[in-house]
Amino acid sequence: MARKTKTAAQQTRQDIFEAALTLFHDRGYSRTTLQEIARAAGVTRGAIYWHFKDKVDLFIELKNDIEASSGMRLEDLLLLPVETLDDLLEGLRRFFRNLEQDRRFRTYFKTVLFRTEFTEELRPLLEFYQDKLHRLQKKDLESLQRLQAAGLLRKDLHCERAALTLRALMVGLLHTWLLDDGAFPLSEQGEALLNDFFAGLRPG
C-alpha cells in the first residue's frame, strides 16, 4: 500500500510538471497561475502545495527534473573530461542532440528564453543561470589553457577571448534555432560552425 501511495505521489508530481511546462510555455511564467496548473494536471491546488512551496519552487524543480533526465545538470557538464578539442566538440554535440530529440528539454529552454520575465520573484533562478554560465565559462577557459599547454592549440591563442567567443557562438546559435527550430538542422549546422571555429584554434 505504501509503495502504491509513493508511486501515485510520483505520478502526481510528474503530471504537475507536464501541465506546468505546457502552460508556462504557452502562456508565459507570469501569466500562469497555480490554479490553472492544478486544473490542467487534474489535481487540487492543495496537491501542488504538497509537492512544492510555491510557483517559483515548482519552476525550479521542473528545471531540475528536466536537466536530470536529460543528463544536462550543471554537475554533469562540469565533470565531462576534455583532453582534446574533439572532446569539447562531443560535449556540445550531445547538447545539440538533446535539444533536437528531447521535447521537454527543448520546450523548457524555449520557455526560459522567450516566455519568462526575470522579475525579483525569479531572482533565485536568474542567479542559478548566471552562476551556471560563469562556471561553464571557467571550465572552457581552463580546458583551452590545458590544451594550449599540451601543444594542441596555437601558442599565440588568447584563451580567455576564445572561451568567450565559443560561449557567444553557442548562445547565438541556440537563440536563432529555438526561435524557429525548423529553419535548419541544429546538430549538423552547429557542428559545422564549431568545426570552423575550432580550426582557427589549432596549430598551423
Side-chain angles (χ1 to χ4, degrees):
M1 189 64 150
R3 182 180 301 170
K4 186 178 290 187
T5 300
K6 182 178 180 181
T7 300
Q10 290 173 337
Q11 184 59 56
T12 296
R13 184 179 175 89
Q14 288 303 313
D15 290 343
I16 293 169
F17 277 151
E18 285 303 306
L21 179 60
T22 298
L23 288 168
F24 287 150
H25 175 265
D26 293 347
R27 293 177 52 79
Y29 172 85
S30 297
R31 295 182 60 199
T32 299
T33 67
L34 289 180
Q35 185 60 47
E36 289 168 333
I37 294 172
R39 189 180 307 118
V43 302
T44 64
R45 184 170 166 141
I48 292 183
Y49 281 117
W50 192 85
H51 288 275
F52 311 101
K53 289 189 303 183
D54 50 31
K55 191 167 72 164
V56 175
D57 186 47
L58 168 55
F59 200 39
I60 291 174
E61 287 302 314
L62 174 61
K63 170 193 72 66
N64 293 340
D65 182 74
I66 290 173
E67 289 185 344
S69 65
S70 62
M72 288 286 114
R73 297 179 308 163
L74 177 60
E75 297 86 343
D76 301 322
L77 300 177
L78 291 175
L79 287 175
L80 290 175
V82 178
E83 302 301 330
T84 66
L85 276 179
D86 287 338
D87 290 337
L88 186 54
L89 178 59
E90 178 52 36
L92 299 174
R93 276 199 207 104
R94 185 163 159 258
F95 186 70
F96 293 151
R97 288 195 298 268
N98 272 331
L99 277 175
E100 286 182 317
Q101 299 170 11
D102 188 328
R103 176 196 63 82
R104 294 177 80 233
F105 189 60
R106 183 172 63 254
T107 302
Y108 185 80
F109 237 87
K110 286 183 176 182
T111 300
V112 170
L113 290 177
F114 306 129
R115 301 282 197 275
T116 304
E117 182 180 359
F118 284 99
T119 58
E120 186 63 28
E121 177 187 25
L122 280 177
R123 177 172 290 277
L125 186 64
L126 176 61
E127 290 176 347
F128 166 82
Y129 280 115
Q130 289 172 333
D131 178 65
K132 183 173 185 176
L133 282 174
H134 292 159
R135 293 174 70 181
L136 289 174
Q137 183 80 12
K138 182 173 183 288
K139 182 179 189 294
D140 288 344
L141 174 58
E142 291 172 348
S143 296
L144 292 175
Q145 290 172 331
R146 189 169 59 255
L147 295 178
Q148 186 180 49
L152 299 176
L153 302 181
R154 293 185 353 240
K155 290 182 179 179
D156 65 339
L157 180 70
H158 192 295
C159 290
E160 192 167 346
R161 281 201 295 265
L164 181 58
T165 301
L166 176 58
R167 189 60 46 197
L169 174 61
M170 285 293 294
V171 171
L173 178 63
L174 294 178
H175 270 76
T176 302
W177 185 76
L178 287 169
L179 276 171
D180 181 6
D181 56 27
F184 58 89
L186 178 62
S187 292
E188 179 184 328
Q189 292 300 319
E191 181 171 350
L193 288 171
L194 288 170
N195 277 328
D196 288 345
F197 173 66
F198 287 159
L201 307 185
R202 301 179 192 274

